Amino acid sequence: MRLPVRPLVRPFSRPRPRAPRTDPAVAAVAGVGLLLALLLGLTPALTAFTAHLGAALVPSALGAPFALPALRAVPLGGTGVAQLLCEDFAVAVLVAVAVLRMRRHLRLRPGAGRPRRFLAGWSALVAGGAASGVWRGLVTARLVEAGPAGWLLHAAAGAVFGAVWGAAAGWPAGIAASAGVGKISPRTPRTPNPSRAAPGDPQSPGDPGPAHCDGSRRPHPHDPTAPNGEAPGETRS
Protein backbone atom coordinates (compact mmCIF):
# COMPACT_ATOMS: atom_id res chain seq x y z
CA MET A 1 0.00 0.00 0.00
CA ARG A 2 1.38 3.35 -1.03
CA LEU A 3 0.53 6.61 0.72
CA PRO A 4 0.98 9.92 -1.11
CA VAL A 5 3.31 12.28 0.62
CA ARG A 6 2.67 15.99 0.28
CA PRO A 7 5.71 18.27 0.12
CA LEU A 8 6.26 20.62 3.02
CA VAL A 9 4.77 24.02 2.19
CA ARG A 10 6.06 27.04 4.05
CA PRO A 11 3.65 29.84 4.92
CA PHE A 12 3.98 32.90 2.70
CA SER A 13 5.64 35.80 4.46
CA ARG A 14 5.93 39.29 3.05
CA PRO A 15 9.27 41.11 3.43
CA ARG A 16 9.20 43.99 5.82
CA PRO A 17 9.50 47.39 4.16
CA ARG A 18 12.74 49.17 4.96
CA ALA A 19 13.14 52.87 5.42
CA PRO A 20 15.01 54.64 2.61
CA ARG A 21 18.71 54.87 3.37
CA THR A 22 20.17 58.39 3.44
CA ASP A 23 23.73 58.75 2.25
CA PRO A 24 26.07 60.45 4.77
CA ALA A 25 27.20 62.94 2.11
CA VAL A 26 23.62 64.12 1.55
CA ALA A 27 23.03 64.49 5.27
CA ALA A 28 26.33 66.38 5.63
CA VAL A 29 25.42 68.90 2.91
CA ALA A 30 21.99 69.45 4.41
CA GLY A 31 23.50 69.89 7.88
CA VAL A 32 26.03 72.46 6.65
CA GLY A 33 23.28 74.44 4.93
CA LEU A 34 21.16 74.51 8.07
CA LEU A 35 24.18 75.43 10.21
CA LEU A 36 25.01 78.41 8.00
CA ALA A 37 21.39 79.54 8.10
CA LEU A 38 21.35 79.28 11.89
CA LEU A 39 24.60 81.27 12.21
CA LEU A 40 23.25 84.04 10.00
CA GLY A 41 20.08 84.06 12.09
CA LEU A 42 22.00 84.87 15.28
CA THR A 43 22.06 88.63 15.83
CA PRO A 44 25.55 88.73 17.49
CA ALA A 45 27.09 86.72 14.66
CA LEU A 46 25.40 88.88 12.04
CA THR A 47 26.53 92.09 13.75
CA ALA A 48 30.14 90.91 14.01
CA PHE A 49 30.12 89.82 10.37
CA THR A 50 28.83 93.14 9.04
CA ALA A 51 31.25 95.08 11.29
CA HIS A 52 34.28 93.33 9.82
CA LEU A 53 33.00 93.13 6.22
CA GLY A 54 31.08 96.31 5.59
CA ALA A 55 31.55 96.01 1.82
CA ALA A 56 29.25 92.97 1.88
CA LEU A 57 26.32 95.35 2.47
CA VAL A 58 26.80 97.18 -0.85
CA PRO A 59 24.77 94.69 -2.97
CA SER A 60 21.98 94.81 -0.40
CA ALA A 61 21.84 98.61 -0.73
CA LEU A 62 21.24 98.11 -4.46
CA GLY A 63 18.35 95.71 -3.87
CA ALA A 64 20.11 92.32 -3.90
CA PRO A 65 19.49 89.88 -1.03
CA PHE A 66 22.12 89.88 1.70
CA ALA A 67 24.23 86.75 2.09
CA LEU A 68 22.40 83.42 2.34
CA PRO A 69 18.93 83.13 3.89
CA ALA A 70 18.88 83.21 7.69
CA LEU A 71 16.81 80.95 9.89
CA ARG A 72 15.17 82.85 12.74
CA ALA A 73 12.33 82.29 15.19
CA VAL A 74 11.43 85.96 15.65
CA PRO A 75 11.51 88.87 13.15
CA LEU A 76 14.67 90.97 12.95
CA GLY A 77 14.33 94.71 13.59
CA GLY A 78 11.32 96.24 11.89
CA THR A 79 10.56 93.26 9.64
CA GLY A 80 7.20 91.57 10.02
CA VAL A 81 6.09 87.99 10.42
CA ALA A 82 5.37 87.62 6.69
CA GLN A 83 8.95 88.53 5.79
CA LEU A 84 10.21 86.17 8.49
CA LEU A 85 8.23 83.29 6.99
CA CYS A 86 9.52 84.13 3.50
CA GLU A 87 13.09 84.05 4.80
CA ASP A 88 12.53 80.71 6.52
CA PHE A 89 11.03 79.35 3.32
CA ALA A 90 14.16 80.49 1.48
CA VAL A 91 16.20 78.34 3.90
CA ALA A 92 14.04 75.35 3.00
CA VAL A 93 14.64 76.04 -0.70
CA LEU A 94 18.38 76.28 -0.09
CA VAL A 95 18.57 72.94 1.71
CA ALA A 96 16.20 71.14 -0.67
CA VAL A 97 18.07 72.18 -3.82
CA ALA A 98 21.44 71.32 -2.26
CA VAL A 99 20.17 67.86 -1.25
CA LEU A 100 18.74 67.19 -4.73
CA ARG A 101 21.99 68.27 -6.35
CA MET A 102 24.02 65.99 -4.08
CA ARG A 103 21.70 63.04 -4.62
CA ARG A 104 21.97 63.44 -8.36
CA HIS A 105 25.74 63.38 -8.14
CA LEU A 106 25.69 60.20 -6.03
CA ARG A 107 23.28 58.54 -8.44
CA LEU A 108 25.35 59.36 -11.51
CA ARG A 109 28.82 58.88 -9.96
CA PRO A 110 28.57 56.57 -6.95
CA GLY A 111 32.28 55.73 -7.02
CA ALA A 112 33.62 59.30 -7.26
CA GLY A 113 36.78 60.20 -5.37
CA ARG A 114 37.39 62.93 -2.84
CA PRO A 115 38.10 65.81 -5.28
CA ARG A 116 34.94 65.16 -7.31
CA ARG A 117 32.88 64.66 -4.15
CA PHE A 118 34.23 67.94 -2.76
CA LEU A 119 33.21 69.78 -5.93
CA ALA A 120 29.78 68.17 -5.77
CA GLY A 121 29.19 69.33 -2.19
CA TRP A 122 30.51 72.79 -2.95
CA SER A 123 28.39 73.16 -6.11
CA ALA A 124 25.34 71.86 -4.22
CA LEU A 125 25.47 74.87 -1.92
CA VAL A 126 26.06 77.16 -4.91
CA ALA A 127 22.91 75.81 -6.57
CA GLY A 128 20.96 76.12 -3.33
CA GLY A 129 22.12 79.71 -2.85
CA ALA A 130 21.08 80.64 -6.40
CA ALA A 131 17.64 79.06 -6.05
CA SER A 132 16.97 80.68 -2.69
CA GLY A 133 18.26 83.99 -4.09
CA VAL A 134 15.63 83.91 -6.82
CA TRP A 135 12.90 83.54 -4.21
CA ARG A 136 14.32 86.29 -2.03
CA GLY A 137 14.62 88.57 -5.05
CA LEU A 138 10.97 88.06 -5.86
CA VAL A 139 10.05 88.85 -2.27
CA THR A 140 12.08 92.07 -2.45
CA ALA A 141 10.39 93.03 -5.73
CA ARG A 142 7.01 92.51 -4.07
CA LEU A 143 7.98 94.69 -1.11
CA VAL A 144 9.14 97.59 -3.29
CA GLU A 145 6.18 97.16 -5.68
CA ALA A 146 8.41 96.85 -8.73
CA GLY A 147 7.13 96.50 -12.27
CA PRO A 148 7.59 93.50 -14.58
CA ALA A 149 11.16 94.52 -15.43
CA GLY A 150 11.90 95.04 -11.75
CA TRP A 151 10.70 91.54 -10.92
CA LEU A 152 13.06 90.07 -13.50
CA LEU A 153 15.98 92.21 -12.36
CA HIS A 154 15.47 91.38 -8.69
CA ALA A 155 15.16 87.67 -9.44
CA ALA A 156 18.31 87.71 -11.60
CA ALA A 157 20.26 89.71 -9.01
CA GLY A 158 19.13 87.31 -6.29
CA ALA A 159 20.28 84.30 -8.32
CA VAL A 160 23.69 85.84 -9.11
CA PHE A 161 24.51 87.07 -5.62
CA GLY A 162 23.03 83.94 -4.05
CA ALA A 163 25.38 81.82 -6.15
CA VAL A 164 28.31 84.08 -5.20
CA TRP A 165 27.54 83.74 -1.50
CA GLY A 166 27.09 80.00 -1.95
CA ALA A 167 30.49 79.77 -3.64
CA ALA A 168 32.11 81.75 -0.82
CA ALA A 169 30.52 79.68 1.95
CA GLY A 170 30.26 76.32 0.18
CA TRP A 171 33.68 74.92 1.07
CA PRO A 172 32.48 73.46 4.43
CA ALA A 173 29.80 71.56 2.53
CA GLY A 174 32.44 70.20 0.15
CA ILE A 175 34.67 69.08 3.01
CA ALA A 176 31.75 67.44 4.79
CA ALA A 177 30.62 65.65 1.62
CA SER A 178 34.10 64.25 0.90
CA ALA A 179 34.87 63.25 4.49
CA GLY A 180 33.32 59.76 4.27
CA VAL A 181 34.70 58.69 0.88
CA GLY A 182 36.33 55.26 1.11
CA LYS A 183 35.02 54.52 4.63
CA ILE A 184 31.60 53.11 3.77
CA SER A 185 31.44 50.41 1.13
CA PRO A 186 28.17 49.82 -0.76
CA ARG A 187 26.08 46.91 0.41
CA THR A 188 26.05 43.84 -1.83
CA PRO A 189 23.06 41.49 -1.86
CA ARG A 190 23.68 38.12 -0.28
CA THR A 191 23.37 35.00 -2.39
CA PRO A 192 21.89 31.89 -0.80
CA ASN A 193 24.44 29.24 0.13
CA PRO A 194 23.14 25.72 -0.63
CA SER A 195 25.42 24.21 2.01
CA ARG A 196 23.76 26.31 4.73
CA ALA A 197 20.16 25.67 3.79
CA ALA A 198 17.76 25.17 6.67
CA PRO A 199 16.65 21.62 7.54
CA GLY A 200 13.51 20.69 5.66
CA ASP A 201 14.27 23.15 2.87
CA PRO A 202 13.79 21.60 -0.59
CA GLN A 203 17.01 23.35 -1.68
CA SER A 204 19.06 21.45 0.91
CA PRO A 205 21.01 18.74 -0.98
CA GLY A 206 21.54 16.45 2.00
CA ASP A 207 18.19 16.74 3.71
CA PRO A 208 16.48 13.37 4.12
CA GLY A 209 13.04 15.01 3.97
CA PRO A 210 10.21 15.22 6.49
CA ALA A 211 9.22 12.36 8.73
CA HIS A 212 6.43 10.08 7.49
CA CYS A 213 3.45 8.67 9.28
CA ASP A 214 5.40 5.66 10.56
CA GLY A 215 8.15 7.83 12.05
CA SER A 216 10.76 6.78 9.50
CA ARG A 217 12.55 9.07 7.10
CA ARG A 218 12.76 8.37 3.44
CA PRO A 219 14.96 10.02 0.83
CA HIS A 220 13.64 13.27 -0.54
CA PRO A 221 11.33 12.83 -3.57
CA HIS A 222 13.73 14.88 -5.67
CA ASP A 223 16.81 13.06 -4.38
CA PRO A 224 18.53 11.26 -7.29
CA THR A 225 19.84 8.63 -4.83
CA ALA A 226 16.32 7.30 -4.14
CA PRO A 227 16.13 3.48 -4.52
CA ASN A 228 14.94 2.11 -7.81
CA GLY A 229 11.37 1.02 -8.03
CA GLU A 230 10.09 3.77 -5.68
CA ALA A 231 8.01 6.44 -7.38
CA PRO A 232 8.93 10.05 -6.62
CA GLY A 233 6.71 11.57 -3.96
CA GLU A 234 5.55 8.16 -2.62
CA THR A 235 6.64 5.84 0.15
CA ARG A 236 6.02 2.24 0.84
CA SER A 237 4.36 1.19 4.05
Side-chain angles (χ1 to χ4, degrees):
M1 182 178 180
R2 298 180 178 179
L3 298 176
V5 178
R6 296 182 180 180
L8 180 63
V9 179
R10 293 187 174 184
F12 178 77
S13 59
R14 296 182 179 180
R16 296 181 179 180
R18 296 182 178 180
R21 182 171 174 265
T22 303
D23 194 274
V26 176
V29 170
V32 170
L34 286 176
L35 181 60
L36 292 175
L38 287 173
L39 289 176
L40 291 172
L42 297 177
T43 304
L46 184 62
T47 304
F49 178 76
T50 54
H52 289 81
L53 294 175
L57 298 174
V58 175
S60 301
L62 300 177
F66 172 72
L68 295 176
L71 186 62
R72 298 186 181 91
V74 294
L76 177 65
T79 58
V81 178
Q83 192 171 356
L84 172 68
L85 295 178
C86 290
E87 192 74 1
D88 291 343
F89 180 76
V91 176
V93 173
L94 167 68
V95 176
V97 173
V99 166
L100 292 177
R101 170 69 181 86
M102 196 66 203
R103 282 185 175 180
R104 182 176 182 273
H105 166 76
L106 295 176
R107 185 175 67 253
L108 297 179
R109 298 177 178 86
R114 290 182 182 274
R116 191 179 292 270
R117 188 66 61 84
F118 173 84
L119 291 177
W122 175 74
S123 62
L125 207 64
V126 173
S132 61
V134 171
W135 167 255
R136 298 173 75 195
L138 295 177
V139 172
T140 303
R142 174 66 179 84
L143 292 176
V144 300
E145 298 180 357
W151 282 74
L152 293 177
L153 289 176
H154 280 85
V160 171
F161 285 99
V164 170
W165 281 102
W171 57 270
I175 294 177
S178 61
V181 176
K183 295 182 180 180
I184 301 178
S185 58
R187 297 181 179 180
T188 55
R190 293 184 177 181
T191 56
N193 190 354
S195 62
R196 296 184 179 180
D201 195 342
Q203 296 180 355
S204 178
D207 184 27
H212 301 290
C213 56
D214 57 354
S216 62
R217 290 184 177 270
R218 302 285 183 176
H220 197 272
H222 299 285
D223 191 356
T225 60
N228 297 330
E230 184 175 353
E234 296 182 352
T235 58
R236 295 178 180 179
S237 58

